[in-house]
Amino acid sequence: MLNWIDLLKHYKDKREAVALITVTQCLGSTPCVVGSRMIVTKNRDIHGTIGGGKLEFNAIDEAIIAINENRIMTSSYTLGPEFEQCCGGKVELIIEPMNQYPKLFVFGAGHIGVEICNMMENTPFEVHLIDSRANWFSKIPLKAHVHKHEAKLNDFKTFKDAVQWGSQCYVLVLTLDHKLDFDIIAMALKQDTEFLGLIGSKTKRVRFNNMLIKDMQIIEGMGHVVCPIGLELGGNSPKEIAISVVAQLIQIHYKGLPEKRFA
């Protein structure tokens, strides 16, 4: 018998998305029992079984969809001729994607960046703060949930490697150096992100847009970058700006989840 808790913890520690398939109901003759489980990875590796055959093949296909779309799915199968099985019973499943939490990567541990990271406590986000100043993190008040990364200023590989790019990746760029902001934006536009935001004015956006097109040959320019960042709540203090940005990130996260997850 597999230890499901240990297996799920293993994948959580690896930060690898998986789907847990659980048999919730069996009617008639079936190749499994209620409570049968199987874990499926994005690479279609499996642990456990829900009975094998075409039933299991179809469930694996649906598990991949659940992972890619980050939504809980339910399925019902009648094991007749179309499944090349003669059991004649009925199996119902629930498929739950795991380890699909959003990750926020903040470039720049200034006043606003620190406020944003601290405010994200007890939200769905895993929070990472990246800065290139030596020993800077020892000087700022950060809460325990914030992961700190000290990147090397002139080595962009350390900036790039600090980020877990992908569909659950949210990036904010708000360093003290406009040139560094631009270089990070240009780098991030070549990666996969759910959200890419830059602090600054509309004038900064236009300037960066022209530079991206003319100097970097990134023809979409700033088309995929949110700038200015934050909801229009009013207020210009670091904490007030941070509140508007945190509200925007949470709004985007929940709007991106399928409605059936809350049914």
Side-chain angles (χ1 to χ4, degrees), residues 170-215:
Y170 292 66
V171 173
L172 292 174
V173 182
L174 22 68
T175 77
L176 298 177
D177 184 334
H178 284 263
K179 182 181 183 305
L180 184 56
D181 280 354
F182 177 79
D183 289 341
I184 295 171
I185 287 293
M187 173 191 69
L189 281 171
K190 299 175 183 178
Q191 310 300 322
D192 184 18
T193 59
E194 174 67 19
F195 177 90
L196 177 57
L198 170 69
I199 197 166
S201 63
K202 293 179 180 179
T203 301
K204 183 176 181 178
R205 178 185 178 87
V206 171
R207 180 171 171 242
F208 275 28
N209 185 69
N210 293 335
M211 291 169 62
L212 287 167
I213 295 172
K214 294 178 182 179
D215 301 338

Side-chain angles (χ1 to χ4, degrees), residues 2-158:
L2 296 176
N3 189 320
W4 299 106
I5 294 176
D6 286 348
L7 264 175
L8 291 173
K9 184 179 185 303
H10 166 75
Y11 283 109
K12 181 178 181 180
D13 291 343
K14 288 178 62 179
R15 297 173 179 172
E16 182 175 343
V18 298
L20 175 64
I21 303 175
T22 305
V23 176
T24 56
Q25 187 171 23
C26 295
L27 299 173
S29 179
T30 63
C32 54
V33 296
V34 171
S36 297
R37 294 183 177 90
M38 184 168 68
I39 292 173
V40 180
T41 74
K42 289 192 76 170
N43 294 326
R44 305 179 77 89
D45 296 329
I46 64 172
H47 301 276
T49 180
I50 56 168
K54 197 168 181 180
L55 164 66
E56 196 160 283
F57 291 147
N58 282 27
I60 291 171
D61 288 341
E62 290 198 284
I64 299 301
I65 295 172
I67 293 172
N68 291 337
E69 298 183 2
N70 192 24
R71 63 185 175 97
I72 295 174
M73 299 174 61
T74 57
S75 294
S76 177
Y77 299 103
T78 300
L79 306 180
E82 68 274 19
F83 273 86
E84 300 170 4
Q85 293 179 264
C86 57
C87 301
K90 183 177 179 181
V91 176
E92 294 184 1
L93 312 171
I94 183 169
I95 305 172
E96 302 171 273
M98 305 283 183
N99 307 334
Q100 294 280 60
Y101 42 86
K103 300 174 181 67
L104 172 65
F105 298 89
V106 178
F107 286 90
H111 295 299
I112 296 174
V114 170
E115 289 283 5
I116 289 171
C117 289
N118 285 337
M119 285 183 188
M120 298 300 287
E121 186 177 27
N122 297 323
T123 70
F125 286 82
E126 178 182 294
V127 182
H128 298 258
L129 182 57
I130 306 160
D131 204 279
S132 59
R133 289 169 284 188
N135 303 315
W136 183 251
F137 288 115
S138 64
K139 305 173 184 178
I140 54 178
L142 285 174
K143 294 186 177 181
H145 71 278
V146 181
H147 301 271
K148 302 180 285 290
H149 304 269
E150 188 174 300
K152 296 179 181 178
L153 180 59
N154 296 316
D155 180 6
F156 271 84
K157 186 176 186 300
T158 65

